[in-house]
Amino acid sequence: MSGLPVEETLEMWASSLRDVKARMRGLFTQERVAASAGQFLDGLLGDQRRKTGWMRAEAAGDKGPWRQQAILGRVPWDADALRDIVRDYALETLADPDAVLVIDETGFLKQGHASCGVARQYTGSAGKITNCQIGVFAAYVSRHGHAFIDRALYLPKAWADDPERRRKTHVPQGIGFATKPALARAMIERALAAEVPFSWVAADSVYGVGDIEMALRRAGKGYVLGVSAKHAFNSWGKPYAVAGTARDIAANLPPEAWQRLSAGTGTKGERLHDWAYIELADLNAADYNAALTGTWTRGLLIRRNIADGELAFFSTWCAQGTSMEALARVEGHRWAIEDSFETAKNELGLDHNETRSWHGWHRHVSLVMLAFAMMATIRHHANTAPPPKTMRNPCLRP
């Protein structure tokens, strides 16, 4: 945060913290509970390495973790209402019509089998099948910054179909089994219903085909969605005809089809890859929604790693004439959610939740999302602040 002097940055931090605490005050029926929630937030933003109940209690001056634990457990309040507060707060600063909604998941490593949704399942966080919970997240990424605006705990079918496990972890009656793409689609639909401004959705191959594509076409939103190498594509009405799996199409592309492009700037500079883009068909937007106009293009975007030649494939949907450079940039926005997961875990205790219940997970994660959105807001304002005014030398003539 280089745009403001230290004193002004600290004041911005203090005023922002007062602001977010005031925004969530209405969630709690008692002042003392709201104060405990505020102290919980203080603990997440503090410099303790572990954000456990005992650590947060110590930072708050409490004799034990009970008030901190009560915020996640027995005190009644609506975590989904806080989720919506986080979304609206983040958009006040980050909103942009060209923003990208990025969908991804992360793992929460767990010991034992009592925590809601825990199972042996694959998580990219560990790079293997392990005992963990999986959370699906939506991040809002714009030229102003990025923040989480939605989340959902993935409930494996074995959990969803087990009444005793559901009872012990307080899974709401109306919650049933939902695939990760179904959770993602629900997040997209919530964003659309809330009139969140965005033009694109980006996600990896877990979310890349099926209902999500149709929902986005009907909404008039572009997408760059990962697909497997075995996913089949066909073109029609285009001079360059292709048919077959994504892998086979890539293998038959001529050398001139590839271009070296940046997917955006990372911590080590421009993230360069070789890219190829095949337009598959031009379609009328009104075919999906009578209220829409214009021609949109379905396509296949291919990314090749410069170092080892590894390929990644993406199904795309965009307004006719959209360049490969633009699509590569949209795909590159996915780094933001990976960066967000790392920051939220290392600095804000995203994966330090000690509760076992459904409500405890969503409450803890929503409070972390609020802390993250506050940091994103401060960072944006600090980095875009105008330079300090300088006193003019009265000895110099105009």
Side-chain angles (χ1 to χ4, degrees):
M1 299 182 187
S2 59
L4 288 176
V6 173
E7 295 84 356
E8 292 186 39
T9 301
L10 291 174
E11 175 53 35
M12 183 181 294
W13 182 278
S15 63
S16 297
L17 189 55
R18 289 192 297 269
D19 180 22
V20 297
K21 287 180 180 180
R23 288 170 187 256
M24 68 175 181
R25 172 62 184 88
L27 299 175
F28 309 102
T29 57
Q30 300 180 37
E31 184 59 42
R32 63 177 181 82
V33 177
S36 293
Q39 290 173 338
F40 193 107
L41 193 63
D42 292 338
L44 295 178
L45 291 163
D47 57 4
Q48 293 83 9
R49 186 173 181 83
R50 292 286 299 173
K51 312 294 184 178
T52 63
W54 277 102
M55 294 295 184
R56 292 193 305 271
E58 182 178 348
D62 291 341
K63 295 180 179 180
W66 305 283
R67 287 201 296 177
Q68 297 286 306
Q69 292 169 345
I71 294 299
L72 301 182
R74 65 180 182 273
V75 174
W77 62 278
D78 188 352
D80 286 348
L82 178 57
R83 172 202 64 199
D84 295 344
I85 289 171
V86 173
R87 179 195 65 218
D88 295 344
Y89 169 70
L91 290 176
E92 287 178 12
T93 299
L94 306 182
D96 187 271
D98 295 324
V100 180
L101 193 64
V102 181
I103 308 293
D104 204 353
E105 63 192 61
T106 191
F108 299 78
L109 304 184
K110 289 290 182 181
Q111 299 293 327
H113 303 280
S115 296
C116 188
V118 72
R120 287 191 58 79
Q121 50 195 332
Y122 178 81
T123 171
S125 305
K128 62 182 180 181
I129 295 175
T130 189
N131 208 55
C132 65
Q133 298 167 308
I134 298 291
V136 180
F137 289 77
Y140 188 84
V141 186
S142 77
R143 59 192 176 92
H144 305 300
H146 54 273
F148 298 110
I149 63 169
D150 209 338
R151 77 292 177 266
L153 177 63
Y154 171 67
L155 197 65
K157 198 170 191 318
W159 269 86
D161 294 344
D162 189 327
E164 184 61 15
R165 277 176 139 183
R166 294 173 62 98
R167 183 188 66 78
K168 288 182 177 180
T169 55
H170 306 285
V171 177
Q173 191 68 33
I175 300 296
F177 173 71
T179 65
K180 294 171 188 175
L183 295 176
R185 181 180 175 184
M187 292 181 187
I188 293 168
E189 290 174 345
R190 279 195 290 270
L192 292 170
E195 298 183 348
V196 173
F198 67 98
S199 293
W200 299 90
V201 170
D204 69 13
S205 57
V206 174
Y207 308 94
V209 294
D211 292 343
I212 289 179
E213 286 186 303
M214 290 299 106
L216 291 172
R217 293 187 192 185
R218 288 192 290 269
K221 304 296 183 182
Y223 59 72
V224 179
L225 303 175
V227 295
S228 74
K230 297 180 180 179
H231 191 75
F233 289 90
N234 292 277
S235 67
W236 63 94
K238 290 291 182 180
Y240 188 82
V242 297
T245 65
R247 179 193 291 117
D248 290 341
I249 292 171
N252 292 317
L253 289 175
E256 60 269 21
W258 298 91
Q259 293 185 42
R260 186 155 296 180
L261 301 169
S262 171
T265 304
T267 55
K268 299 180 180 179
E270 296 294 329
R271 298 193 308 279
L272 295 172
H273 299 276
D274 291 331
W275 299 84
Y277 174 52
I278 302 98
E279 293 186 352
L280 300 173
D282 292 329
L283 301 166
N284 194 332
D287 292 342
Y288 299 94
N289 183 338
L292 300 175
T293 60
T295 301
W296 287 60
T297 300
R298 171 162 167 71
L300 167 63
L301 181 69
I302 307 171
R303 187 188 68 207
R304 185 173 66 193
N305 188 286
I306 295 172
D308 59 16
E310 182 181 0
L311 298 175
F313 307 94
F314 306 90
S315 174
T316 66
W317 177 253
C318 56
Q320 187 182 49
T322 302
S323 67
M324 178 166 60
E325 291 85 349
L327 293 170
R329 287 275 178 176
V330 170
E331 196 283 322
H333 279 66
R334 288 202 302 125
W335 74 269
I337 198 169
E338 296 171 5
D339 173 75
S340 300
F341 286 142
E342 182 178 359
T343 300
K345 288 183 177 182
N346 292 341
E347 299 182 19
L348 301 173
L350 178 65
D351 55 348
H352 297 174
N353 177 28
E354 299 169 304
T355 67
R356 294 178 173 179
S357 72
W358 171 273
H359 297 292
W361 187 92
H362 285 86
R363 289 175 175 184
H364 176 88
V365 168
S366 299
L367 285 161
V368 172
M369 287 168 54
L370 180 60
F372 190 98
M374 190 192 92
M375 291 175 60
T377 297
I378 293 172
R379 183 178 296 110
H380 170 76
H381 289 308
N383 289 337
T384 58
K389 295 181 179 180
T390 57
M391 293 297 293
R392 187 174 179 181
N393 189 332
C395 297
L396 296 177
R397 293 186 178 181

